[in-house]
Amino acid sequence: ASLPPNVQQQQQQQQSGGQDTGAAPSSLEQPAALDTMLLQELSELKTRLDTLESLNTNYKQRSVLLEQECTSLKREREHLQHSLKSLQLELRMARMETEHATRSLEDKTASLKEMQLEIDLVTRASVSASVRAAQGESLVKSKLREEAELAQLRSQVQALQEWACASAEAKSLAMEHVRVLERQLSLYKQQHEDSTSNE
């Protein structure tokens, strides 16, 4: 086996030094110097091996930490993706609810207009009936035969007034329902705007 370069260099120096002085080194000094140099080289190699092992351990630890961080980041990304899907679903549901509330409000508004038209018709009919009743009262003084017609007109007026009162109460309830729907629509729109701004 070949000797390390520093050992070969040491032997060459010893040989050149022996030739210059003319005195040959003893057979016991050469193996002792060689052993010392080999032990020193072995110690250096061991030190380097320990250093490399320490670096390898550190690299392994860093690799484990990086794998853990990668796993944590992957889980966090999956959680964020799941949260994003949930928010998108909630946004779609909010939009559907808003559209439904808008359609319901439009239907209620149309019904309220129809009811108002009916109330106006009943009011005009009531006024007309009242006028007719007044005319009938003026004629009954001179014509007793018209008493039956007058009584009938009065009953019609009373029925129409009761129906007008009932219609007015229904209108009031419908208006209250419309106000509730408007508040709900405003709340849905506000939630929708908040969800859109959070995105």
Side-chain angles (χ1 to χ4, degrees):
S2 60
L3 296 175
N6 56 353
V7 177
Q8 293 178 359
Q9 184 179 3
Q10 183 69 23
Q11 286 182 349
Q12 291 175 359
Q13 290 177 356
Q14 291 178 356
Q15 290 176 0
S16 61
Q19 292 175 358
D20 293 338
T21 56
S26 64
S27 60
L28 296 178
E29 290 178 356
Q30 290 182 358
L34 182 60
D35 290 342
T36 301
M37 297 179 70
L38 289 174
L39 289 174
Q40 183 178 0
E41 185 72 18
L42 181 61
S43 177
E44 292 177 357
L45 290 174
K46 185 177 180 181
T47 301
R48 291 182 61 189
L49 180 62
D50 291 340
T51 303
L52 292 174
E53 288 180 352
S54 177
L55 290 174
N56 187 32
T57 301
N58 292 333
Y59 288 147
K60 286 182 179 180
Q61 292 177 354
R62 290 183 62 185
S63 177
V64 171
L65 291 176
L66 289 174
E67 288 179 358
Q68 292 177 352
E69 290 179 359
C70 182
T71 303
S72 177
L73 290 174
K74 184 178 179 181
R75 291 177 180 174
E76 185 177 356
R77 184 185 65 181
E78 292 175 353
H79 176 70
L80 291 175
Q81 290 177 348
H82 179 70
S83 299
L84 179 60
K85 290 180 180 178
S86 299
L87 290 175
Q88 290 176 346
L89 178 60
E90 291 179 1
L91 178 59
R92 287 195 296 269
M93 293 297 294
R95 287 176 178 173
M96 291 174 61
E97 291 177 356
T98 302
E99 292 175 357
H100 177 71
T102 303
R103 287 194 298 268
S104 178
L105 180 60
E106 291 174 352
D107 294 339
K108 294 297 182 181
T109 303
S111 299
L112 182 61
K113 289 180 180 179
E114 293 178 359
M115 188 176 296
Q116 182 64 46
L117 179 60
E118 292 177 358
I119 291 173
D120 293 339
L121 293 174
V122 170
T123 301
R124 287 195 293 269
S126 177
V127 171
S128 178
S130 298
V131 172
R132 290 175 61 188
Q135 292 175 353
E137 287 179 355
S138 64
L139 292 175
V140 74
K141 295 178 181 179
S142 60
K143 298 178 181 180
L144 295 175
R145 64 187 179 196
E146 296 179 0
E147 290 180 357
E149 182 181 357
L150 180 60
Q152 183 179 3
L153 288 173
R154 286 179 177 176
S155 63
Q156 290 178 355
V157 169
Q158 184 177 359
L160 288 173
Q161 288 177 346
E162 290 176 355
W163 194 87
C165 291
S167 298
E169 183 177 0
K171 176 184 176 182
S172 178
L173 293 175
M175 290 293 293
E176 181 63 24
H177 193 192
V178 167
R179 285 193 292 270
V180 171
L181 288 175
E182 287 177 346
R183 288 195 294 270
Q184 290 180 354
L185 178 60
S186 177
L187 178 60
Y188 285 145
K189 288 183 177 179
Q190 183 65 33
Q191 292 177 353
H192 173 63
E193 292 176 355
D194 294 340
S195 300
T196 305
S197 62
N198 289 332
E199 290 180 356

